[in-house]
Structures are given as structure tokens and as C-alpha cells.
Amino acid sequence: LYFAKIGLGNPSKDYYVQVDTGSDILWVNCAGCDKCPTKSDLGLGLTLYDPKKSSTSSLVYCDQDFCTSTYDGPLPGCKPNLQCQYNVVYGDGSSTAGYFVKDDMKLEQVTGNLQSRSTNGTVVFGCGARQSGELGSSSEALDGILGFGQANSSIISQLAASGKVKKSFAHCLDNIEGGGIFAIGEVVSPKVKRTPLVQN
């Protein structure tokens, strides 16, 4: 199980999310969530995201561009001030449901050799209101899942569309001790071998 630490909201709080190239959206467990795990057997402290406690958060409504493009058109029964909902079922049968919010994501941007600076990108992600199956158990509980799929709704697509990063990612996983490096955007040095993702 590989997970990464991300910063969301203002002031920024840290969340541990499983990295998944087989799904598209980022979601984190939210305040008031039903069947969300409260502790993790991985030895991590879990944090619930509360949109009310972030000065930069806003709700995403069903008539906004993000929602209509995610669902390939207007949602049936959509009227102003109706939130844009999400529901994802994973391969193991577990599922997550909730609503979309927009907020700041904290990024460490590489500026030179072994140097980085903090920067923000505004992204839309899921606020988990209900979990089922393994996602509700504490055995491998995390704060959420970071989808790295190719859809426009994925974080890497959103950051690329806003000009923050190039649309590529790299990971170097240590299978002996665990851990490793996960980078999004362009890796300048050392020279990397590129592998295009095969469609479908």
C-alpha cells in the first residue's frame, strides 16, 4: 500500500492518501462523515477535512463547468445551489460518496538541485460523506484516495490545465524499506526514461 502526504485548505492541514492510477478523483474523509474510520492500524493519525474551517474552500454546484464536464453534460434535475455529488465504486467492491469542494492544495515545487519552495494550486476534490466496505475499516485506513487517472477531473489534469505542472508523473518506490519519491510535473534532473500511458 503506497500513500502520500498532501496539504489541503487554508491554513493547510496534512492528509494521508492512497495513490491510485486506476481512478480519477481525489477525495478525503470529511467532517460529519458516515462510516469513516476514526483510527488506522498503519500507525497514522487520521484527519477529517472540514470545509467550514478553511478560508479558501468553496462548494461546487451541479451547474458549474467542473460538474458538467465530469458527468459529460448537465445532471438531470440540476438547479442552482444544488451541490455536485460524487460516487466511486472500486474494484474490491468498496465505495465512497460525497460532494465536490474547491480549495487550495499545498505543493512543494522543485526550484533547483535539492531545493524546493512552497506553492499553492487550487483544485476540486471530493468531500467524503459516506464510506462502505474496506474504506470504512481501520486495518489500512487512510484519509482518502488520490486518483491519478487521465480524466480532466484528476488532480494532475487540473494542475496541468492551470499551468502549474506538466502532465506527467514519476515514482521511485523502495520495496525493501517502503517509502520512496513521488513527483508530479516535469523531472529535469536526473534524466528520466519516459513511458507513455497506453490508452484503454
Side-chain angles (χ1 to χ4, degrees), residues 87-182:
N87 186 22
V88 182
V89 180
Y90 294 98
D92 66 354
S94 61
S95 68
T96 173
Y99 54 94
F100 284 112
V101 293
K102 186 184 223 175
D103 207 343
D104 282 356
M105 181 181 213
K106 191 173 159 197
L107 305 165
E108 279 298 313
Q109 191 167 37
V110 174
T111 54
N113 192 19
L114 300 178
Q115 292 173 314
S116 66
R117 69 179 165 84
S118 205
T119 182
N120 279 341
T122 303
V123 292
V124 176
F125 56 93
C127 203
R130 201 168 55 256
Q131 312 306 1
S132 79
E134 280 298 300
L135 291 173
S137 78
S138 63
S139 63
E140 291 186 341
L142 291 162
D143 292 315
I145 291 181
L146 175 57
F148 257 80
Q150 300 179 51
N152 291 338
S153 55
S154 81
I155 293 299
I156 195 160
S157 298
Q158 291 185 58
L159 291 171
S162 65
K164 286 276 179 189
V165 300
K166 289 275 198 312
K167 206 170 184 177
S168 58
F169 65 87
H171 50 100
C172 171
L173 306 176
D174 179 347
N175 62 1
I176 300 159
E177 297 278 322
I181 297 167
F182 190 78

Side-chain angles (χ1 to χ4, degrees), residues 14-150:
D14 288 340
Y15 300 87
Y16 294 98
V17 288
Q18 185 175 338
V19 178
D20 178 30
T21 53
S23 63
D24 295 312
I25 69 162
L26 160 67
W27 60 267
V28 289
N29 291 320
C30 276
C33 171
D34 184 33
K35 296 195 172 62
C36 275
T38 51
K39 64 182 179 52
S40 171
D41 296 347
L42 296 171
L44 301 166
L46 300 180
T47 306
L48 292 174
Y49 170 81
D50 188 345
K52 293 188 179 77
K53 291 190 175 156
S54 170
S55 64
T56 43
S57 89
S58 59
L59 294 171
V60 176
Y61 296 103
C62 63
D63 56 354
Q64 289 177 309
D65 286 349
F66 178 88
C67 200
T68 53
S69 68
T70 299
Y71 289 105
D72 295 325
L75 288 175
C78 174
K79 46 188 184 286
N81 297 335
L82 207 62
Q83 288 176 12
C84 184
Q85 307 284 328
Y86 82 87
N87 186 22
V88 182
V89 180
Y90 294 98
D92 66 354
S94 61
S95 68
T96 173
Y99 54 94
F100 284 112
V101 293
K102 186 184 223 175
D103 207 343
D104 282 356
M105 181 181 213
K106 191 173 159 197
L107 305 165
E108 279 298 313
Q109 191 167 37
V110 174
T111 54
N113 192 19
L114 300 178
Q115 292 173 314
S116 66
R117 69 179 165 84
S118 205
T119 182
N120 279 341
T122 303
V123 292
V124 176
F125 56 93
C127 203
R130 201 168 55 256
Q131 312 306 1
S132 79
E134 280 298 300
L135 291 173
S137 78
S138 63
S139 63
E140 291 186 341
L142 291 162
D143 292 315
I145 291 181
L146 175 57
F148 257 80
Q150 300 179 51

